[in-house]
Amino acid sequence: MPVRDCYHENLKNALIKDGWNVTDDPFHLKWGKKDLYVDLAAEKLLTAEKGTEKIAVEIKTFSGDSEVADLEQAIGQYFTYLAVMSRNYQDRVLYIAVHEDVFTDIFEEEPLGKLILEDYKIPLIVFNPKREVIVRWVIWSNTGN
């Protein structure tokens, strides 16, 4: 079993406050002999006709000694999980969840983070762990952000 991030319960509570039903904690992926664990999976009823929206969420704290190393690790993990999910869970969108201060420091003010986010269109959930609320969804479309 993976070690939980320090903000795991805060994000879980934020998703519940936002109307999401947490279905898996953690969300188990298997590919070949490898077991992988995304931090959370959740579903939200859109309307009776549209069905449910399904997500998987990997929480990243960026608390290591190097922001670049943390960014490399987060992006590598995201694309590893995305590759497996594209084969087995095509109905689920994979997000990286970050504290709002991390979002500002890494993805708004740091050119390297902005470049990676813009080039690879990685969906983000930005949350405030103290208030346990989601403050922003960064969702990309084919026509831009």
Side-chain angles (χ1 to χ4, degrees), residues 22-110:
V22 175
T23 58
D24 299 90
D25 180 8
F27 182 51
H28 179 224
L29 303 175
K30 186 162 185 75
W31 191 257
K33 295 180 180 177
K34 301 296 181 192
D35 292 304
L36 308 166
Y37 297 92
V38 182
D39 290 320
L40 294 167
E43 294 179 358
K44 187 174 193 177
L45 182 63
L46 296 175
T47 64
E49 289 128 17
K50 289 186 176 179
T52 57
E53 182 177 0
K54 297 179 180 180
I55 62 173
V57 184
E58 182 62 23
I59 305 162
K60 303 313 295 178
T61 58
F62 287 82
S63 59
D65 292 335
S66 166
E67 289 180 348
V68 173
D70 288 344
L71 184 60
E72 290 170 343
Q73 196 271 339
I75 301 307
Q77 195 172 23
Y78 174 84
F79 282 109
T80 301
Y81 293 166
L82 186 64
V84 174
M85 288 178 57
S86 71
R87 269 68 169 194
N88 296 329
Y89 300 97
Q90 296 167 351
D91 60 340
R92 207 173 280 278
V93 177
L94 178 61
Y95 284 85
I96 292 177
V98 295
H99 183 295
E100 59 187 337
D101 293 340
V102 169
F103 178 74
T104 300
D105 291 346
I106 305 294
F107 296 107
E108 283 189 326
E109 295 178 355
E110 171 55 50

Coordinates of all heavy atoms in Angstrom, one line a residue, residues 22-110:
V22 N -16.5 9.6 -3.1 CA -15.2 8.9 -3.2 C -15.5 7.4 -3.2 O -16.1 6.8 -2.3 CB -14.3 9.3 -2.0 CG1 -13.0 8.5 -2.0 CG2 -14.0 10.8 -2.0
T23 N -15.1 6.8 -4.3 CA -15.4 5.4 -4.6 C -14.2 4.5 -4.2 O -14.4 3.3 -3.9 CB -15.8 5.1 -6.0 OG1 -14.7 5.6 -6.9 CG2 -17.1 5.9 -6.3
D24 N -13.0 5.0 -4.3 CA -11.8 4.2 -4.1 C -10.7 5.0 -3.4 O -10.4 6.1 -3.8 CB -11.2 3.6 -5.4 CG -12.2 2.8 -6.2 OD1 -12.9 3.3 -7.0 OD2 -12.1 1.5 -5.9
D25 N -10.1 4.4 -2.3 CA -9.1 5.2 -1.5 C -8.1 4.2 -1.0 O -8.3 3.6 0.1 CB -9.8 5.9 -0.4 CG -8.9 6.7 0.5 OD1 -7.7 6.8 0.1 OD2 -9.3 7.2 1.5
P26 N -7.1 3.8 -1.8 CA -6.7 4.3 -3.1 C -7.4 3.6 -4.2 O -8.1 2.7 -4.0 CB -5.2 4.0 -3.1 CG -5.1 2.7 -2.3 CD -6.2 2.9 -1.2
F27 N -7.1 4.1 -5.4 CA -7.6 3.5 -6.7 C -6.5 2.6 -7.3 O -5.5 3.1 -7.7 CB -8.0 4.7 -7.6 CG -8.6 4.2 -9.0 CD1 -9.6 3.4 -9.0 CD2 -8.0 4.7 -10.1 CE1 -10.2 3.0 -10.2 CE2 -8.6 4.3 -11.4 CZ -9.7 3.4 -11.4
H28 N -6.8 1.3 -7.2 CA -5.8 0.3 -7.6 C -5.8 0.1 -9.2 O -6.9 -0.1 -9.8 CB -6.2 -1.0 -6.9 CG -5.2 -2.1 -7.3 ND1 -5.7 -3.4 -7.6 CD2 -3.9 -2.2 -7.4 CE1 -4.6 -4.2 -7.8 NE2 -3.5 -3.4 -7.7
L29 N -4.6 0.2 -9.7 CA -4.4 -0.1 -11.1 C -3.4 -1.3 -11.2 O -2.5 -1.4 -10.4 CB -3.7 1.1 -11.9 CG -4.4 2.4 -11.8 CD1 -3.6 3.5 -12.5 CD2 -5.8 2.4 -12.5
K30 N -3.7 -2.1 -12.2 CA -2.7 -3.3 -12.3 C -2.4 -3.3 -13.8 O -3.2 -3.3 -14.7 CB -3.4 -4.5 -11.9 CG -2.4 -5.7 -11.9 CD -3.0 -6.9 -11.0 CE -2.0 -8.0 -10.9 NZ -0.9 -7.7 -10.1
W31 N -1.1 -3.5 -14.1 CA -0.6 -3.7 -15.4 C 0.5 -4.7 -15.4 O 1.5 -4.5 -14.8 CB -0.1 -2.3 -16.0 CG 0.1 -2.5 -17.5 CD1 1.3 -2.6 -18.2 CD2 -0.9 -2.5 -18.5 NE1 1.1 -2.7 -19.5 CE2 -0.2 -2.6 -19.8 CE3 -2.3 -2.4 -18.5 CZ2 -0.9 -2.7 -21.0 CZ3 -3.0 -2.5 -19.7 CH2 -2.3 -2.6 -20.9
G32 N 0.3 -5.8 -16.1 CA 1.2 -6.9 -16.0 C 1.4 -7.4 -14.5 O 0.3 -7.6 -13.9
K33 N 2.6 -7.4 -14.0 CA 2.8 -7.8 -12.7 C 2.9 -6.6 -11.7 O 3.1 -6.8 -10.5 CB 4.1 -8.7 -12.5 CG 4.0 -10.0 -13.3 CD 5.3 -10.7 -13.1 CE 5.2 -12.1 -13.9 NZ 6.4 -12.8 -13.9
K34 N 2.7 -5.4 -12.2 CA 2.9 -4.2 -11.4 C 1.5 -3.7 -10.9 O 0.5 -3.7 -11.6 CB 3.5 -3.1 -12.2 CG 4.8 -3.5 -12.8 CD 5.9 -3.7 -11.7 CE 7.2 -4.0 -12.3 NZ 8.2 -4.5 -11.3
D35 N 1.5 -3.4 -9.6 CA 0.4 -2.8 -8.9 C 0.7 -1.3 -8.7 O 1.8 -1.0 -8.2 CB 0.1 -3.4 -7.6 CG -0.4 -4.9 -7.7 OD1 -1.4 -5.1 -8.4 OD2 0.3 -5.8 -7.1
L36 N -0.2 -0.5 -9.1 CA -0.1 1.0 -9.0 C -1.3 1.5 -8.2 O -2.4 0.9 -8.3 CB 0.0 1.6 -10.4 CG 1.0 1.1 -11.4 CD1 0.7 1.6 -12.8 CD2 2.4 1.4 -10.9
Y37 N -1.1 2.6 -7.5 CA -2.2 3.1 -6.7 C -2.3 4.6 -6.9 O -1.4 5.4 -6.4 CB -1.9 2.8 -5.2 CG -1.9 1.3 -4.9 CD1 -0.8 0.6 -4.9 CD2 -3.1 0.7 -4.6 CE1 -0.8 -0.8 -4.7 CE2 -3.2 -0.7 -4.4 CZ -2.0 -1.4 -4.4 OH -2.0 -2.7 -4.2
V38 N -3.4 5.1 -7.5 CA -3.7 6.5 -7.6 C -4.3 6.8 -6.2 O -5.1 6.0 -5.7 CB -4.6 6.8 -8.7 CG1 -4.9 8.3 -8.8 CG2 -4.1 6.2 -10.0
D39 N -4.1 8.0 -5.7 CA -4.6 8.3 -4.3 C -6.1 8.1 -4.1 O -6.5 7.6 -3.1 CB -4.2 9.8 -4.0 CG -2.7 9.9 -3.8 OD1 -2.1 9.0 -3.2 OD2 -2.1 10.9 -4.2
L40 N -6.9 8.7 -5.0 CA -8.3 8.6 -4.9 C -9.0 8.4 -6.2 O -8.5 8.9 -7.2 CB -8.8 9.9 -4.3 CG -8.4 10.3 -2.8 CD1 -8.8 11.8 -2.6 CD2 -9.1 9.4 -1.8
A41 N -10.2 7.9 -6.1 CA -11.1 7.9 -7.3 C -12.5 8.3 -6.8 O -12.9 8.1 -5.6 CB -11.3 6.5 -7.9
A42 N -13.2 9.1 -7.6 CA -14.5 9.6 -7.2 C -15.4 9.7 -8.4 O -15.0 9.7 -9.5 CB -14.3 11.0 -6.6
E43 N -16.7 9.8 -8.1 CA -17.7 9.9 -9.1 C -18.7 11.0 -8.6 O -18.9 11.3 -7.5 CB -18.6 8.6 -9.2 CG -17.8 7.5 -9.8 CD -18.6 6.2 -9.9 OE1 -19.8 6.2 -9.5 OE2 -18.1 5.2 -10.3
K44 N -19.3 11.7 -9.7 CA -20.3 12.7 -9.4 C -21.4 12.5 -10.4 O -21.2 12.4 -11.6 CB -19.6 14.1 -9.5 CG -20.5 15.2 -9.1 CD -19.7 16.5 -9.2 CE -20.4 17.7 -8.5 NZ -19.6 18.9 -8.5
L45 N -22.6 12.5 -9.8 CA -23.8 12.4 -10.7 C -24.0 13.8 -11.4 O -24.1 14.8 -10.7 CB -25.1 12.1 -9.9 CG -26.3 11.9 -10.6 CD1 -26.2 10.7 -11.6 CD2 -27.5 11.7 -9.7
L46 N -24.0 13.7 -12.7 CA -24.2 15.0 -13.5 C -25.7 15.3 -13.6 O -26.1 16.3 -13.0 CB -23.6 14.8 -14.9 CG -22.1 14.6 -14.9 CD1 -21.6 14.4 -16.3 CD2 -21.4 15.9 -14.3
T47 N -26.4 14.5 -14.3 CA -27.9 14.5 -14.3 C -28.3 13.1 -14.6 O -27.5 12.3 -14.9 CB -28.4 15.4 -15.4 OG1 -28.1 14.9 -16.6 CG2 -27.9 16.9 -15.3
A48 N -29.6 12.9 -14.4 CA -30.1 11.5 -14.7 C -29.8 11.1 -16.1 O -29.5 9.9 -16.3 CB -31.6 11.4 -14.4
E49 N -29.8 12.0 -17.0 CA -29.6 11.6 -18.4 C -28.1 11.5 -18.8 O -27.7 10.7 -19.6 CB -30.3 12.6 -19.4 CG -31.8 12.5 -19.3 CD -32.4 13.8 -19.1 OE1 -31.8 14.9 -19.3 OE2 -33.6 13.8 -18.7
K50 N -27.3 12.3 -18.2 CA -25.9 12.3 -18.6 C -25.0 11.3 -17.8 O -23.9 11.0 -18.2 CB -25.3 13.7 -18.3 CG -25.7 14.8 -19.3 CD -25.0 16.1 -19.0 CE -25.4 17.1 -20.1 NZ -24.7 18.4 -19.8
G51 N -25.6 10.7 -16.8 CA -24.8 9.7 -16.0 C -23.9 10.3 -15.0 O -24.2 11.3 -14.4
T52 N -22.7 9.7 -14.9 CA -21.7 10.2 -13.9 C -20.4 10.6 -14.5 O -20.1 10.2 -15.6 CB -21.4 9.0 -12.9 OG1 -20.9 7.9 -13.6 CG2 -22.6 8.6 -12.1
E53 N -19.8 11.5 -13.9 CA -18.4 12.0 -14.2 C -17.5 11.2 -13.3 O -17.8 11.2 -12.1 CB -18.3 13.5 -14.0 CG -16.9 14.0 -14.4 CD -16.9 15.5 -14.3 OE1 -17.8 16.2 -14.0 OE2 -15.8 16.0 -14.6
K54 N -16.5 10.6 -13.8 CA -15.6 9.8 -13.0 C -14.1 10.4 -13.1 O -13.7 10.7 -14.2 CB -15.5 8.4 -13.5 CG -16.9 7.7 -13.3 CD -16.8 6.2 -13.8 CE -18.1 5.5 -13.7 NZ -18.0 4.1 -14.2
I55 N -13.5 10.5 -11.9 CA -12.1 11.0 -11.9 C -11.3 10.1 -11.0 O -11.7 9.3 -10.2 CB -12.1 12.5 -11.3 CG1 -12.6 12.5 -9.9 CG2 -12.9 13.4 -12.2 CD1 -12.4 13.9 -9.2
A56 N -10.0 10.2 -11.3 CA -9.0 9.7 -10.4 C -8.0 10.8 -10.1 O -7.8 11.7 -10.9 CB -8.2 8.5 -11.1
V57 N -7.5 10.9 -8.8 CA -6.8 12.0 -8.4 C -5.5 11.6 -7.7 O -5.5 10.8 -6.8 CB -7.6 12.9 -7.4 CG1 -6.8 14.1 -7.0 CG2 -9.0 13.2 -8.0
E58 N -4.4 12.1 -8.2 CA -3.1 11.9 -7.5 C -2.7 13.2 -6.9 O -2.6 14.3 -7.5 CB -2.0 11.5 -8.6 CG -0.7 11.2 -8.0 CD -0.6 10.1 -7.0 OE1 -1.5 9.2 -7.0 OE2 0.3 10.1 -6.2
I59 N -2.5 13.2 -5.6 CA -2.1 14.4 -4.8 C -0.6 14.5 -4.8 O 0.1 13.6 -4.5 CB -2.7 14.2 -3.3 CG1 -4.2 13.9 -3.3 CG2 -2.3 15.5 -2.5 CD1 -4.7 13.3 -2.0
K60 N -0.2 15.7 -5.1 CA 1.3 16.0 -5.0 C 1.5 17.2 -4.1 O 0.9 18.2 -4.2 CB 1.8 16.3 -6.4 CG 1.6 15.2 -7.5 CD 1.9 13.8 -7.0 CE 3.3 13.5 -6.8 NZ 3.5 12.1 -6.3
T61 N 2.5 17.0 -3.2 CA 2.8 18.1 -2.2 C 3.9 19.0 -2.6 O 4.0 20.1 -2.1 CB 3.1 17.5 -0.8 OG1 4.2 16.6 -1.0 CG2 1.9 16.7 -0.3
F62 N 4.8 18.5 -3.4 CA 6.0 19.3 -3.8 C 6.7 19.8 -2.6 O 7.1 21.0 -2.4 CB 5.6 20.5 -4.7 CG 5.2 20.1 -6.1 CD1 3.9 19.7 -6.4 CD2 6.1 20.2 -7.1 CE1 3.6 19.3 -7.7 CE2 5.8 19.9 -8.4 CZ 4.5 19.4 -8.7
S63 N 7.0 18.9 -1.7 CA 7.7 19.2 -0.4 C 9.1 18.7 -0.4 O 9.8 18.8 0.7 CB 6.9 18.6 0.7 OG 6.8 17.2 0.6
G64 N 9.7 18.3 -1.5 CA 11.0 17.8 -1.5 C 12.1 18.9 -1.5 O 11.7 20.1 -1.5
D65 N 13.3 18.5 -1.6 CA 14.4 19.5 -1.6 C 14.5 20.3 -2.9 O 15.0 21.4 -3.0 CB 15.7 18.8 -1.4 CG 15.8 18.3 0.0 OD1 15.1 18.8 0.9 OD2 16.6 17.3 0.2
S66 N 14.0 19.7 -4.0 CA 14.0 20.3 -5.3 C 12.7 20.4 -6.0 O 12.0 19.3 -6.2 CB 15.0 19.5 -6.2 OG 14.9 19.9 -7.6
E67 N 12.2 21.6 -6.4 CA 10.9 21.7 -7.1 C 11.0 21.0 -8.4 O 10.0 20.5 -8.9 CB 10.6 23.2 -7.2 CG 10.2 23.9 -6.0 CD 9.8 25.3 -6.2 OE1 10.1 25.9 -7.3 OE2 9.2 25.9 -5.2
V68 N 12.2 21.1 -9.1 CA 12.3 20.4 -10.4 C 12.2 18.9 -10.3 O 11.5 18.3 -11.0 CB 13.6 20.8 -11.1 CG1 13.9 20.0 -12.3 CG2 13.7 22.3 -11.4
A69 N 12.8 18.4 -9.3 CA 12.7 16.9 -9.0 C 11.3 16.5 -8.7 O 10.8 15.5 -9.2 CB 13.7 16.5 -7.9
D70 N 10.6 17.3 -7.9 CA 9.2 17.1 -7.5 C 8.3 17.1 -8.8 O 7.4 16.3 -9.0 CB 8.7 18.1 -6.5 CG 9.3 17.8 -5.1 OD1 9.8 16.7 -4.8 OD2 9.2 18.7 -4.3
L71 N 8.6 18.1 -9.6 CA 7.8 18.3 -10.9 C 8.1 17.1 -11.8 O 7.1 16.5 -12.4 CB 8.2 19.6 -11.6 CG 7.5 19.9 -12.8 CD1 6.0 20.1 -12.6 CD2 8.0 21.2 -13.4
E72 N 9.3 16.7 -11.9 CA 9.7 15.5 -12.8 C 9.0 14.2 -12.3 O 8.4 13.5 -13.0 CB 11.2 15.3 -12.8 CG 11.9 16.3 -13.6 CD 13.4 16.2 -13.4 OE1 13.9 15.6 -12.4 OE2 14.1 16.9 -14.2
Q73 N 9.0 14.1 -11.0 CA 8.3 12.9 -10.4 C 6.8 12.9 -10.6 O 6.2 11.9 -10.9 CB 8.7 12.8 -8.9 CG 8.4 11.5 -8.2 CD 7.0 11.4 -7.7 OE1 6.3 12.3 -7.4 NE2 6.6 10.1 -7.5
A74 N 6.2 14.1 -10.4 CA 4.8 14.2 -10.6 C 4.4 13.9 -12.0 O 3.4 13.2 -12.3 CB 4.3 15.6 -10.1
I75 N 5.1 14.5 -12.9 CA 4.7 14.3 -14.4 C 5.0 12.9 -14.8 O 4.1 12.3 -15.5 CB 5.6 15.3 -15.2 CG1 5.3 16.7 -14.8 CG2 5.3 15.1 -16.7 CD1 3.9 17.2 -14.8
G76 N 6.1 12.3 -14.4 CA 6.3 10.9 -14.7 C 5.2 10.0 -14.1 O 4.8 9.0 -14.8
Q77 N 4.8 10.2 -12.9 CA 3.8 9.4 -12.3 C 2.5 9.6 -13.0 O 1.7 8.7 -13.3 CB 3.7 9.8 -10.8 CG 2.9 8.8 -10.0 CD 3.0 9.2 -8.5 OE1 3.3 10.3 -8.1 NE2 2.8 8.2 -7.7
Y78 N 2.2 10.9 -13.3 CA 0.9 11.2 -14.1 C 0.8 10.4 -15.4 O -0.2 9.7 -15.6 CB 0.8 12.7 -14.3 CG -0.4 13.0 -15.2 CD1 -1.6 13.2 -14.6 CD2 -0.2 13.2 -16.6 CE1 -2.7 13.5 -15.4 CE2 -1.3 13.5 -17.4 CZ -2.6 13.6 -16.8 OH -3.6 13.9 -17.6
F79 N 1.9 10.4 -16.2 CA 1.9 9.7 -17.5 C 1.9 8.2 -17.3 O 1.3 7.5 -18.2 CB 2.9 10.3 -18.4 CG 2.6 11.6 -19.0 CD1 3.2 12.8 -18.6 CD2 1.5 11.7 -19.9 CE1 2.8 14.0 -19.1 CE2 1.1 12.9 -20.4 CZ 1.8 14.1 -20.0
T80 N 2.5 7.7 -16.3 CA 2.5 6.2 -16.0 C 1.1 5.8 -15.7 O 0.5 4.9 -16.3 CB 3.4 5.9 -14.9 OG1 4.7 6.3 -15.2 CG2 3.4 4.4 -14.6
Y81 N 0.4 6.5 -14.8 CA -1.0 6.2 -14.5 C -1.9 6.4 -15.7 O -2.8 5.6 -15.9 CB -1.5 7.0 -13.3 CG -0.8 6.7 -12.0 CD1 -1.0 7.6 -10.9 CD2 0.0 5.6 -11.8 CE1 -0.4 7.4 -9.7 CE2 0.6 5.4 -10.6 CZ 0.4 6.3 -9.5 OH 1.0 6.0 -8.3
L82 N -1.7 7.5 -16.4 CA -2.5 7.8 -17.6 C -2.4 6.7 -18.6 O -3.5 6.3 -19.2 CB -2.1 9.1 -18.2 CG -3.0 9.6 -19.3 CD1 -4.4 9.9 -18.8 CD2 -2.4 10.9 -19.9
A83 N -1.2 6.1 -18.9 CA -1.1 5.1 -19.8 C -1.9 3.8 -19.5 O -2.6 3.2 -20.3 CB 0.4 4.7 -20.0
V84 N -1.8 3.4 -18.2 CA -2.6 2.3 -17.7 C -4.1 2.6 -17.8 O -4.9 1.8 -18.3 CB -2.2 1.9 -16.3 CG1 -3.1 0.7 -15.8 CG2 -0.7 1.4 -16.3
M85 N -4.5 3.8 -17.3 CA -5.9 4.1 -17.3 C -6.5 4.2 -18.7 O -7.7 3.9 -18.9 CB -6.1 5.4 -16.5 CG -6.0 5.2 -15.0 SD -6.2 6.8 -14.1 CE -7.8 7.3 -14.6
S86 N -5.7 4.6 -19.7 CA -6.2 4.7 -21.1 C -6.6 3.4 -21.6 O -7.4 3.3 -22.6 CB -5.2 5.4 -22.0 OG -4.1 4.6 -22.2
R87 N -6.1 2.3 -21.1 CA -6.4 0.9 -21.5 C -7.6 0.4 -20.7 O -8.4 -0.4 -21.2 CB -5.2 0.0 -21.4 CG -4.3 -0.1 -22.6 CD -3.6 1.1 -22.8 NE -2.5 1.0 -23.8 CZ -1.6 1.9 -24.0 NH1 -1.6 2.9 -23.2 NH2 -0.7 1.7 -24.9
N88 N -7.6 0.7 -19.5 CA -8.6 0.0 -18.6 C -9.7 0.9 -18.0 O -10.7 0.4 -17.6 CB -7.9 -0.7 -17.4 CG -6.9 -1.8 -17.9 OD1 -7.2 -2.4 -18.9 ND2 -5.8 -1.9 -17.2
Y89 N -9.5 2.2 -18.0 CA -10.5 3.1 -17.3 C -10.7 4.3 -18.2 O -10.4 5.4 -17.7 CB -10.0 3.4 -15.9 CG -9.8 2.3 -15.0 CD1 -8.6 1.7 -14.8 CD2 -10.9 1.7 -14.4 CE1 -8.4 0.6 -14.0 CE2 -10.8 0.6 -13.6 CZ -9.5 0.0 -13.4 OH -9.4 -1.1 -12.6
Q90 N -11.1 4.1 -19.4 CA -11.2 5.2 -20.3 C -12.3 6.2 -20.0 O -12.3 7.3 -20.5 CB -11.5 4.7 -21.7 CG -10.3 3.9 -22.2 CD -10.6 3.1 -23.5 OE1 -11.7 3.0 -23.9 NE2 -9.6 2.5 -24.1
D91 N -13.2 5.8 -19.1 CA -14.3 6.7 -18.7 C -13.9 7.6 -17.5 O -14.7 8.4 -17.0 CB -15.5 5.9 -18.3 CG -15.2 4.9 -17.1 OD1 -14.1 4.6 -16.8 OD2 -16.2 4.5 -16.5
R92 N -12.6 7.5 -17.0 CA -12.2 8.3 -15.9 C -11.1 9.3 -16.3 O -10.2 9.0 -17.0 CB -11.6 7.3 -14.8 CG -11.7 7.8 -13.4 CD -11.3 6.7 -12.5 NE -12.3 5.7 -12.2 CZ -13.3 5.8 -11.3 NH1 -13.4 6.9 -10.6 NH2 -14.2 4.9 -11.1
V93 N -11.2 10.5 -15.8 CA -10.2 11.6 -16.1 C -9.2 11.6 -14.9 O -9.6 11.6 -13.8 CB -10.8 12.9 -16.3 CG1 -9.8 14.0 -16.5 CG2 -11.8 12.9 -17.4
L94 N -7.9 11.6 -15.2 CA -6.9 11.6 -14.2 C -6.5 13.1 -14.0 O -6.2 13.8 -14.9 CB -5.7 10.8 -14.7 CG -4.5 10.8 -13.7 CD1 -4.8 10.2 -12.4 CD2 -3.3 10.0 -14.4
Y95 N -6.5 13.5 -12.7 CA -6.1 14.8 -12.3 C -4.9 14.7 -11.3 O -4.7 13.7 -10.6 CB -7.2 15.5 -11.5 CG -8.3 16.0 -12.3 CD1 -9.4 15.2 -12.6 CD2 -8.4 17.3 -12.7 CE1 -10.5 15.6 -13.4 CE2 -9.4 17.8 -13.4 CZ -10.5 16.9 -13.8 OH -11.5 17.4 -14.5
I96 N -4.1 15.8 -11.3 CA -3.1 16.0 -10.3 C -3.7 17.0 -9.4 O -4.2 18.1 -9.8 CB -1.7 16.4 -10.8 CG1 -1.0 15.3 -11.6 CG2 -0.8 16.9 -9.6 CD1 0.3 15.7 -12.2
A97 N -3.7 16.8 -8.1 CA -4.2 17.8 -7.1 C -3.1 18.4 -6.4 O -2.1 17.7 -5.9 CB -5.1 17.1 -6.1
V98 N -3.1 19.7 -6.3 CA -2.0 20.5 -5.6 C -2.6 21.6 -4.7 O -3.7 22.1 -5.0 CB -1.0 21.2 -6.6 CG1 -0.3 20.1 -7.4 CG2 -1.7 22.1 -7.5
H99 N -1.9 21.8 -3.6 CA -2.2 23.0 -2.7 C -2.2 24.2 -3.5 O -1.4 24.4 -4.5 CB -1.1 22.9 -1.6 CG -1.3 23.9 -0.6 ND1 -1.2 25.3 -0.8 CD2 -1.5 23.7 0.8 CE1 -1.3 25.9 0.4 NE2 -1.5 25.0 1.3
E100 N -3.0 25.2 -3.2 CA -3.1 26.4 -4.0 C -1.8 27.2 -4.0 O -1.4 27.9 -5.0 CB -4.2 27.3 -3.5 CG -4.2 27.8 -2.1 CD -5.5 28.5 -1.7 OE1 -6.2 29.0 -2.6 OE2 -5.8 28.5 -0.5
D101 N -1.0 27.1 -2.9 CA 0.4 27.8 -2.9 C 1.3 27.1 -3.9 O 2.1 27.8 -4.6 CB 1.0 27.8 -1.5 CG 0.2 28.6 -0.5 OD1 -0.5 29.5 -0.9 OD2 0.4 28.4 0.7
V102 N 1.2 25.8 -4.0 CA 2.0 25.0 -5.0 C 1.6 25.4 -6.4 O 2.5 25.7 -7.3 CB 1.9 23.5 -4.8 CG1 2.5 22.8 -5.9 CG2 2.5 23.1 -3.5
F103 N 0.3 25.6 -6.6 CA -0.2 26.0 -7.9 C 0.4 27.3 -8.3 O 0.9 27.5 -9.4 CB -1.7 26.0 -8.0 CG -2.2 26.5 -9.3 CD1 -2.2 25.6 -10.4 CD2 -2.7 27.7 -9.5 CE1 -2.7 26.0 -11.6 CE2 -3.2 28.2 -10.7 CZ -3.2 27.3 -11.8
T104 N 0.4 28.3 -7.4 CA 0.9 29.6 -7.7 C 2.4 29.5 -8.0 O 2.9 30.1 -9.0 CB 0.6 30.5 -6.5 OG1 -0.8 30.6 -6.3 CG2 1.2 31.9 -6.8
D105 N 3.1 28.9 -7.1 CA 4.6 28.8 -7.2 C 5.1 28.0 -8.4 O 6.0 28.5 -9.1 CB 5.2 28.2 -5.9 CG 5.0 29.1 -4.7 OD1 4.7 30.3 -4.8 OD2 5.2 28.5 -3.6
I106 N 4.5 26.9 -8.6 CA 5.0 26.0 -9.7 C 4.3 26.2 -11.0 O 5.0 26.1 -12.1 CB 4.8 24.5 -9.2 CG1 5.5 24.3 -7.9 CG2 5.4 23.5 -10.3 CD1 7.0 24.4 -7.8
F107 N 3.0 26.4 -11.0 CA 2.3 26.4 -12.3 C 1.9 27.8 -12.8 O 1.5 27.9 -14.0 CB 1.1 25.4 -12.3 CG 1.5 24.0 -12.0 CD1 1.3 23.4 -10.8 CD2 2.1 23.3 -13.1 CE1 1.7 22.1 -10.6 CE2 2.5 22.0 -12.9 CZ 2.3 21.3 -11.6
E108 N 2.0 28.8 -12.0 CA 1.6 30.1 -12.5 C 2.9 31.0 -12.6 O 3.0 31.8 -13.5 CB 0.6 30.8 -11.5 CG -0.8 30.3 -11.7 CD -1.8 31.1 -11.0 OE1 -1.5 31.6 -9.9 OE2 -2.9 31.2 -11.5
E109 N 3.8 30.9 -11.6 CA 4.9 31.8 -11.6 C 6.2 31.2 -12.1 O 7.1 32.0 -12.6 CB 5.2 32.3 -10.2 CG 4.0 33.2 -9.6 CD 4.2 33.6 -8.2 OE1 5.2 33.2 -7.6 OE2 3.3 34.4 -7.7
E110 N 6.3 29.9 -12.1 CA 7.5 29.2 -12.6 C 7.4 28.9 -14.0 O 6.5 28.1 -14.4 CB 7.8 28.0 -11.7 CG 8.9 27.1 -12.3 CD 10.2 27.8 -12.4 OE1 10.6 28.4 -11.5 OE2 10.8 27.6 -13.5

